[in-house]
Structures are given as structure tokens and as C-alpha cells.
């Protein structure tokens, strides 16, 4: 049988060729190859027949080599590097297979011998030091044979999996954007400080080496003769300027001992002493409040701290100074840190608008509405934004306090999780688990949650907090001892039910605890009812009303409860038309129209009070038009762009009439997709002076001519103490109740919460878990 050697000659220097490669060329009668590669081995070609051709003629060269071998000569087909890595071996075998179709000979009568060599990635790695000591991915950026979309997917997957990434064919005269896209994808996953090596002409004449960072990579020359190697989360630059990706031997030797060793040894991210994550055994166990309290504890110690929740599904949202939308809890936590809220603190926000779908908001801006399956497919892209946002916060603040979502033991959701332990792994953050004893079965919550975790996940959990306890803590001693023995995780304290100043709540579970209307309230109370819409949003608008000593605020589940109210409130909603339809179908609409006392509508509730709501672009649902409740002479049209702004406003004449003696200036925030036009039957409520720091000068809201019905787009209007007091005093006078004076809270709720936590938790152990950033 004739013989064809497919020879990998290494990076180009004769000194890097293997003995087997030299022997194959020595045995060959004919040597076939790309002219540039043949020049590298010219001293070995004396007395050989040489067949050469130029770039892009691989199929032609391979065909010639097979033809010559089939004619009875021994042939060496030359590849640079390794013949089986982006080399000629695969093409030779494919073409031989095609030739042999229909015959009994697998390789068309030619024996094909694949001779390995030193690949370009190996050569480049040796020049740089030891960047490939752990798992790595090699990706060619050439789209001549691989579709660009496929290249992008491979880059994202490698970036997310924390592989060291080696890039072949990074740039040529006609291919300049791929390396820029690759940099963007990797920066989003790893930040800008990851070490990068660029090697040109590795291990041959003209060799050049650059050690830089991912953020500076594109400022250096890169061409088709370059190999680019990007480190992973543990890659570092040694004292002599070489790149090292640790394999983990130091942990095996016991040289590094830390609470994060179990995770690191399992191949996950090493612990980062600049972050801590509070996760839960379920929803509404107190994660948001404890995160806010810990933020304030660190602030009081002089530490620059910021909150972070990678993905938040919330009914309540907040607006950042730059006009982005995040979960309300992260806005509150930023306040506890003493810093302005930013979209990086909650890069992914989901606002449910149906049983199976949500509006997806990424880094403060609406992407689109997605069902569960579509969003699961989108999560990989979303997680790149999560990494990007976290990295920016980490570069700006000394410590990041992270919050999980729901339960960390939802094993059916593990593959798609970007909110809990995957985010903690990304950050290298130790985890403290929070359990709610008020709902019962707290020890089963703790043990069951930890038992359902993988060994790698268990290693991340460094402590447990039992929250919302009422009673004698000593009664829990035996249970705590059993939990610690069973799980190996210490209980860091038991937090009694917090009776201090309230903080805004997070989600629908908290809303379900709100009292429904009943007939039991005393006559000495103002009776305020908020319609519990199926798609209610930002119900934190009414926390300040609920906190008034003489207000009995309830959430209405039936229209019969409306008749006894002093104030009826229509809250915000994520789907105005669908909730209008709910009001009509369930008897609320007629009851609201018949109600003859004070009515207030906030945002979507304001839109419902009008004559009609139009949705020509089907922004919210499949309903194009719905008649409103007809209590205000306004018409609303849904637009495709959401308005999200922090605002300062001035009460106009009608606004001051319904809140007499209130200062004219109020603040709030807008989150809406509707544009409302007022008719002659109403007067404007306020004038918005500034939006997101810029001048606005536009009117907001509407008040009926008799002052009985008012609506506004301003969320948080009742958080203005003087306005709220004046507005309620007008209703108090009508009912014959004593008026009250406006009084802002005298106790900082975050300081009170921090003191509560410091009193009942083992702060020394928690600080040890956090690491030297806190204890040093």
C-alpha cells in the first residue's frame, strides 16, 4: 500500500520538530506543502521532489498529495504546528474517504499516517509562561468555514465556563471586527484586568511577545500570525512578567487554607474576600431586609459598600438617577449604603405580566416580553451582562453585598440559575443561608435545603441565620445543635421578629400577607382601600399610608368592600388594559363608578380612571382598546418606549386644593409606557420640573373639577410627608377626625435595623467569613 505522511512540523524552527516528523520527511520521495511552511524546513528538502502552492489552496494540495501517493510514491504532506489541530490531517482523511466510497478500501489504497507536532497554541503558551495549566478552549476567529454566529456562541460559552481562551486567526486585512467582538464578550464575563498574552511568530524568527490585560488588548498589534491567549478568573502575571494559570497544586499541598478551599478544589471560582451573598430557603424569608441591614453595618464601619442582585423578579421597582429601572429592594439597599442606586446593582429585572411571562429589563432598559422558554434561552446572554455589571461595581466599591432569589434548592431550575449560587460562584462569594422560622418547619428548611445541594454548592454555604423568631431563643438550642451536626454549617444567630421602622417589601409573597378588607375597623380610623389588581405593581407606594397611626389600609379582593371606604386607591399595574378587563368582569368597575368619596389613581390606576385606554402597538397585551372607568376626562395611548425617571415636581392649583397647606414641591418617580392627554373636564395635578436631572416643564396627572378624583404618574407621591399629611387631613376633616401634623421619621430605619442585627447575630464569625476586607 502507498503511504502518505501528514506531518506537523511545529511552529517553524527545525529545533521544534519531533524526531518522527523529521523521519517521515526523510522517508518521503515527494514533499507537498504551503510554500511558506516549506521554507521553514528547506534544509530537509535536498534531493526531494517538492510540490508547493499558495494560501487558500489546501484542498488542491491535499488532492495532489493523495494522487502522488496513489501512484506509488511515499509522500509527506506538511502542516505547520500539529497536523491534527487546524491542520491537514482531517482534510486528507475526508478526501480519502470520499475517493473510497463504494470500495472495500477505507483510504483509496493509500496508508495515511498522521504525524503530530508542536501546535501553535502550545508554542505560544511556552513563550508566555504557563497560561494553559488548567482547562482551556481554542477558537478560530476565521469565518471562512465557520459561521460568525457559531463563533460568537462558542466565545460566549467559553467565557461563561471560565476557560482560558486561545484565539487563532484573530485578525487579518479583511477581518478586523471579530477580535473586537471577542474582546467585548470576554470583558463582559471577566472584566478588564484579566491577563492576556499576544505572541507573534512563536518559536521562530521574528518572535514577539506582549503581556497585557483584556482591557488593553486591542491597543496592541494583532494580525494573522498572532496567537492571543486570554486568562481565566485565576490567571495571574508572575513577578518576572510571565503568565500563570494555577492548576491547584498549592491547595493539594495544603499551602492555602481557607473557608473557600472546598469550592476551589472542585474547580469553581476561588473565594473573594470582597463579597458576601445572602441566600434563602425560600421567598420572603427576609433576604432583602438582612442584605440592607448588613450594608448599613459595613457603611457604619467606614467600608465603601454596594448591593447586588443579579436577577430579580419583583412587583416593586425603583428608578435610578440615570433613568434606569431596578428592583425596589436594591434601591433601598443602595440607600442603606449611602450611595445612589445604579442599574448595575440589579442588572436583570423581571416584571411578571402573565402566569408564564415577564417583561425583561436588562441593565435598566426593557428588552422585550418573554415567556419562560424564550427567557431560558436568553439567560446565557443575560448572564454576560450580570458579569459585566458585577465587575463594574467591584472596581468601584470595596465590598459587595449580594442577595439571592427565592430558594437555592430549586433543583429543577439549577440548569438555568443565574440568580443564586451561579452568581455567588461568579463572584467567589461565600454564602449565608437565611431561614424563616415564622412559617414553621425551620430546621427542615435548613437541612432539606443543604441536602439538596451538590457537594460543590454545599461548600459555598458558610453559615445560617434563623429569621423572624418570636419567643425564647433558648428553646431552639437542641434543634440548632442537630442542624450544625447534620450539615456541618454553623448557625450564626437567631433574629427576633423586627419591630423597628419598616422597609419596603420585595415581592408577591409579601403582598399576599397584606390584610384584605373587612368590616371590623373602628370608626376612629380612616379607611383606605387599595384594589388588589392581578398585575399590581409598586404597591410600596402605599407603605407610608399604611404606617399612619389612624389609617386602616386594606387590599380589596371584592367590590362589596368599597362602599365603607373613605379613600379608594387604584394602584399601578404591569398591564392596564388586562386589569381594566378584570375590573369589568368582577364587578369592581361598577362599584368604583358608584363610589362617592375620595378616589386616587397612581400610574396605571390613573390611566384606568380615564375614558379610554388604547394600545395600538399591543405593548401590554393582545387588547387594542378598553373603555376606562370614566371618572377623569383623560385618554391614554400606550407607547413602545418606557419612561423611567426620578422627578421633582410642583403642585399646581388643583394639586394644592386636594392637599391644602402642603408645600408646593414634591418628588417621586415615573415608570410607565403610556401617554395621557387631558380634556377640558379636568385640571392638571402638578408640573414636572425635572426628569432624571434634566429640565422637563411638563404637566402631570389630572384632578376632577370637584377635587374628588385625582390621578398622577408619580410613584412615591405619598412618601412626601407634608403632601400625604395635608391630603389625608382633608379627608379627616370630612369625617370629623382630628387632623395630624406632618412628621418625617426621626429614627433612621437602617441604623435601627443594623443595631438589631448586631445585637442578635454572631458578627465576629460573619466578619471572618467575609475575610480581611472586613476584619483587617
Amino acid at each position: 500500500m502507498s503511504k502518505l505522511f501528514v506531518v506537523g512540523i511545529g511552529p517553524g524552527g527545525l529545533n521544534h520538530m519531533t524526531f518522527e516528523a523529521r523521519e517521515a520527511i526523510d522517508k518521503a520521495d515527494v514533499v507537498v506543502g504551503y510554500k511558506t511552511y516549506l521554507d521553514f524546513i528547506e534544509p530537509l528538502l535536498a534531493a526531494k521532489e517538492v510540490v508547493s502552492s499558495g494560501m487558500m489552496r489546501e484542498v488542491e494540495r491535499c488532492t495532489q498529495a493523495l494522487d502522488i501517493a496513489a501512484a506509488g510514491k511515499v509522500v509527506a504532506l506538511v502542516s505547520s504546528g500539529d497536523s491534527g489541530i487546524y491542520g491537514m490531517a482531517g482534510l486528507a482523511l475526508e478526501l480519502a474517504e470520499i475517493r473510497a466510497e463504494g470500495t472495500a478500501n477505507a483510504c483509496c489504497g493509500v496508508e495515511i499516517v498522521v504525524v503530530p507536532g508542536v501546535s501553535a497554541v502550545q508554542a505560544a503558551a511556552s513563550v508566555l509562561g504557563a497560561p494553559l495549566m488548567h482547562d482551556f478552549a481554542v477558537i478560530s476567529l476565521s469565518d471562512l468555514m465557520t459561521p460568525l454566529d457559531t463563533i460568537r456562541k462558542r466565545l460566549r460559552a467559553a467565557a461563561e465556563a471560565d476557560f482560558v481562551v486561545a484565539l487563532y486567526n484573530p485578525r487579518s486585512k479583511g477581518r478586523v471586527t471579530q477580535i473586537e467582538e471577542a474582546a467585548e464578550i470576554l470583558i463582559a464575563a471577566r472584566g478588564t484586568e484579566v491577563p492576556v498574552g499576544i505572541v507573534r511568530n512563536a518559536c521562530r524568527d521574528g518572535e514577539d511577545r506582549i503581556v497585557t490585560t483584556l482591557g488593553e488588548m486591542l491597543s496592541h498589534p494583532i494580525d494573522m500570525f498572532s496567537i492571543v491567549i486570554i486568562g481565566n478568573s485565576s490567571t495571574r502575571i508572575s513577578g518576572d512578567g510571565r503568565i500563570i494559570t494555577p492548576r491547584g497544586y498549592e491547595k493539594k499541598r495544603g499551602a492555602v487554607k481557607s473557608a473557600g478551599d472546598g469550592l476551589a478544589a472542585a474547580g469553581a471560582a476561588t473565594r473573594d474576600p470582597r463579597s458576601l451573598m445572602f441566600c434563602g430557603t425560600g421567598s420572603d424569608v427576609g433576604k432583602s431586609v438582612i442584605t440592607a441591614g448588613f450594608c448599613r453595618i459595613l457603611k457604619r464601619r467606614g467600608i465603601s459598600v454596594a448591593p447586588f442582585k443579579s436577577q430579580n423578579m419583583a412587583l416593586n421597582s425603583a428608578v435610578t438617577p440615570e433613568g434606569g429601572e431596578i428592583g425596589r429592594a436594591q434601591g433601598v439597599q443602595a440607600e442603606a449604603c449611602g450611595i445612589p442606586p445604579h442599574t448595575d446593582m440589579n442588572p436583570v429585572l423581571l416584571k411578571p405580566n402573565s402566569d408564564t411571562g415577564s417583561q425583561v429589563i436588562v441593565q435598566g432598559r426593557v428588552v422585550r416580553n418573554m415567556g419562560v422558554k424564550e427567557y431560558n434561552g436568553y439567560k446565557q446572554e443575560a448572564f454576560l451582562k450580570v458579569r459585566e455589571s458585577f465587575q463594574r461595581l467591584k472596581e468601584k466599591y470595596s465590598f459587595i453585598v449580594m442577595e439571592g432569589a427565592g430558594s437555592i434548592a430549586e433543583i429543577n431550575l439549577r440548569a438555568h440559575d443565574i440568580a443564586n449560587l451561579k452568581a455567588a460562584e461568579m463572584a467567589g462569594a461565600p454564602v449565608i443561608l437565611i431561614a424563616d422560622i415564622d412559617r414553621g418547619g425551620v430546621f427542615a428548611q435548613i437541612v432539606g435545603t443543604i441536602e439538596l445541594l451538590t457537594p460543590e454548592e454545599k461548600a459555598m454555604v458558610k453559615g445560617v441565620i434563623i429569621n423572624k423568631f418570636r419567643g425564647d431563643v433558648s428553646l431552639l438550642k437542641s434543634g440548632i445543635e442537630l442542624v450544625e451536626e447534620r450539615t456541618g454549617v454553623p448557625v450564626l444567630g437567631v433574629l427576633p421578629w423586627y419591630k423597628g421602622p419598616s422597609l419596603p417589601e420585595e415581592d408577591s409573597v409579601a403582598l399576599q400577607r397584606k390584610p384584605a378588607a373587612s368590616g371590623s375597623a373602628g370608626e376612629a380610623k380612616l379607611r383606605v382601600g387599595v384594589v388588589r389588581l392581578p398585575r399590581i405593581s409598586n404597591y410600596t407606594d402605599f407603605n407610608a399610608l399604611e404606617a399612619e397611626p389612624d389609617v386602616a389600609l386594606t387590599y380589596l379582593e371584592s367590590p362589596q368592600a368599597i362602599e365603607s371606604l373613605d379613600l379608594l386607591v387604584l394602584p399601578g399595574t404591569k398591564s392596564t388594559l388586562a386589569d381594566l378587563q378584570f375590573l369589568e368582569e368582577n364587578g369592581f368597575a361598577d362599584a368604583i363608578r358608584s363610589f362617592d368619596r375620595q378616589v386616587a389613581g397612581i400610574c396605571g390606576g390613573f390611566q384606568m380612571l380615564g375614558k379610554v385606554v388604547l394600545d395600538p402597538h399591543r405593548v401590554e397585551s393582545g387588547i387594542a382598546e378598553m373603555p376606562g372607568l370614566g371618572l377623569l376626562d383623560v385618554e391614554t395611548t400606550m407607547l413602545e418606549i418606557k419612561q423611567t425617571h426620578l422627578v421633582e415636581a410642583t403642585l399646581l392649583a388643583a394639586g394644592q386644593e386636594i392637599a391644602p397647606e402642603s408645600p408646593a414641591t414634591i418628588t417621586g418617580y415615573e415608570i410607565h409606557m403610556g401617554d395621557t392627554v387631558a380634556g377640558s373636564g379636568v385640571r392638571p395635578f402638578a408640573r414636572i420640573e425635572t426628569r432624571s436631572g434634566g429640565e422637563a416643564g411638563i404637566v402631570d396627572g389630572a384632578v376632577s373639577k370637584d377635587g374628588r378624583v385625582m390621578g398622577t404618574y408619580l410613584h412615591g407621591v405619598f412618601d412626601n410627608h407634608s403632601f400625604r399629611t395635608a391630603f389625608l387631613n382633608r379627608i379627616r376633616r370630612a369625617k370629623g377626625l382630628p387632623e395630624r401634623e406632618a412628621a418625617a421619621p426621626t429614627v433612621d430605619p437602617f441604623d435601627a435595623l443594623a443595631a438589631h442585627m448586631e445585637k442578635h447575630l454572631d458578627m465576629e464569625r460573619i466578619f471572618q467569613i467575609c475575610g480581611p476586607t472586613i476584619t483587617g
Side-chain angles (χ1 to χ4, degrees), residues 30-101:
V30 182
V31 179
V32 180
Y34 172 43
K35 185 177 186 308
T36 298
Y37 299 155
L38 294 176
D39 290 343
F40 292 152
I41 59 171
E42 185 178 8
L44 306 180
L45 301 181
K48 304 289 183 185
E49 182 183 345
V50 175
V51 177
S52 68
S53 56
M55 189 178 290
M56 309 291 290
R57 297 173 69 180
E58 292 86 354
V59 175
E60 178 186 320
R61 283 197 295 277
C62 201
T63 300
Q64 288 176 307
L66 286 167
D67 287 342
I68 297 168
K73 293 187 177 181
V74 177
V75 180
L77 176 61
V78 169
S79 282
S80 71
D82 181 271
S83 60
I85 300 176
Y86 297 124
M88 299 295 283
L91 182 57
L93 291 171
E94 287 182 61
L95 291 175
E97 188 177 42
I98 293 170
R99 290 183 174 210
E101 283 184 3

Side-chain angles (χ1 to χ4, degrees), residues 8-28:
I9 64 169
L14 293 177
N15 57 321
H16 288 105
M17 286 184 67
T18 66
F19 177 81
E20 186 181 1
R22 283 175 173 265
E23 188 178 51
I25 291 173
D26 185 57
K27 290 178 180 179

Side-chain angles (χ1 to χ4, degrees), residues 119-138:
S119 69
V121 71
Q122 291 173 284
S126 70
V127 172
L128 293 169
L132 304 184
M133 279 291 292
H134 218 304
D135 301 337
F136 63 93
V138 180

Side-chain angles (χ1 to χ4, degrees), residues 419-443:
N420 285 304
L421 297 182
K422 184 173 181 178
E425 181 184 358
M426 169 203 73
V431 171
I432 293 177
L433 181 68
I434 300 170
D436 177 3
I437 195 170
D438 189 58
R439 64 180 62 188
V442 72
F443 301 122

